[in-house]
């Protein structure tokens, strides 16, 4: 398990963001996904997730993401309320995903691992449709560019679109 600093570049990549669900209440249906882009399992205990403002949370317990696999973080862990999602981690504290513009910043042991800063009108912005990083473009540099993202096309749970915990479309 990787559990200390010194992770290689592109080790953990933000790959999908549900910022504006339409099948459920916005506050209950927000989630985002990260991808472990390494050949070893990664324990995300201690991962700090922030935005450029005052929103943040820290993963306070063991959260192992297998090699080349995903972890889904959600504001609400109840699939009956959050749109049918079973997250790997439910955040607590003050963290909201803004609908118009916002940031998700991942840091571990003081090192920034990835950051996505999105805004309208260039980024995908259809209510009920997650922003999905194109599978062939999984990279911490490429995910900074709105052209690397598209609106998710796969329905899940109660009818929103996304692929939480699975590959995005090519």
């Amino acid at each position: 398990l990787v559990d200390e600093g010194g992770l290689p570049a592109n080790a953990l990549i933000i790959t999908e963001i549900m910022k504006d669900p339409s099948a459920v209440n916005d506050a209950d249906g927000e989630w985002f996904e990260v991808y472990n882009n390494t050949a070893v399992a990664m324990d995300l205990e201690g991962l700090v997730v922030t935005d450029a403002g005052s929103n943040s949370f820290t993963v306070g317990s063991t959260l192992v993401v297998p090699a080349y696999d995903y972890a889904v973080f959600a504001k609400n862990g109840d699939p009956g309320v959050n749109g049918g999602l079973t997250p790997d981690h439910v955040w607590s504290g003050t963290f909201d995903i803004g609908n118009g513009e916002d940031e998700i910043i991942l840091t571990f042991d003081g090192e920034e691992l990835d950051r996505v800063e999105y805004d309208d009108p260039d980024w995908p912005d259809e209510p009920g449709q997650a922003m999905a990083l194109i599978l062939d473009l999984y990279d911490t540099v490429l995910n900074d560019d709105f052209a690397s993202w598209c609106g998710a096309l796969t329905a899940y749970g109660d009818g929103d679109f996304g692929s939480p915990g699975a590959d995005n479309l090519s």
Side-chain angles (χ1 to χ4, degrees):
L1 296 175
V2 175
D3 65 356
E4 296 185 19
L7 294 173
N10 277 325
L12 194 63
I13 304 168
I14 300 165
T15 54
E16 197 164 4
I17 302 169
M18 174 54 84
K19 63 179 183 162
D20 190 12
S22 62
V24 297
N25 181 328
D26 192 65
D28 291 323
E30 293 179 349
W31 56 269
F32 70 94
E33 169 191 88
V34 298
Y35 180 71
N36 174 0
N37 193 36
T38 71
V40 296
M42 185 183 303
D43 185 350
L44 300 184
E45 183 174 4
L47 180 75
V48 178
V49 180
T50 61
D51 65 6
S54 60
N55 289 320
S56 70
F57 71 88
T58 301
V59 177
S61 59
T62 298
L63 175 59
V64 177
V65 184
Y68 304 112
D69 206 354
Y70 299 91
V72 177
F73 295 81
K75 188 169 188 173
N76 186 313
D78 183 349
V81 177
N82 70 16
L85 175 73
T86 302
D88 298 293
H89 181 81
V90 177
W91 69 73
S92 59
T94 59
F95 190 80
D96 295 304
I97 301 175
N99 292 344
E101 65 180 62
D102 208 349
E103 314 80 25
I104 297 177
I105 305 165
L106 308 177
T107 58
F108 186 77
D109 201 24
E111 175 186 357
E112 186 172 307
L113 301 177
D114 194 15
R115 166 191 299 246
V116 172
E117 297 182 20
Y118 62 87
D119 64 2
D120 292 335
D122 296 328
W123 290 74
D125 192 35
E126 189 66 36
Q129 195 174 44
M131 296 188 309
L133 184 63
I134 296 167
L135 179 63
D136 303 333
L137 303 176
Y138 278 19
D139 183 272
T140 59
V141 174
L142 295 176
N143 74 352
D144 296 337
D145 184 353
F146 71 89
S148 298
W149 295 79
C150 63
L153 300 175
T154 305
Y156 74 93
D158 292 345
D160 280 330
F161 291 86
S163 56
D167 287 345
N168 295 342
L169 297 175
S170 297

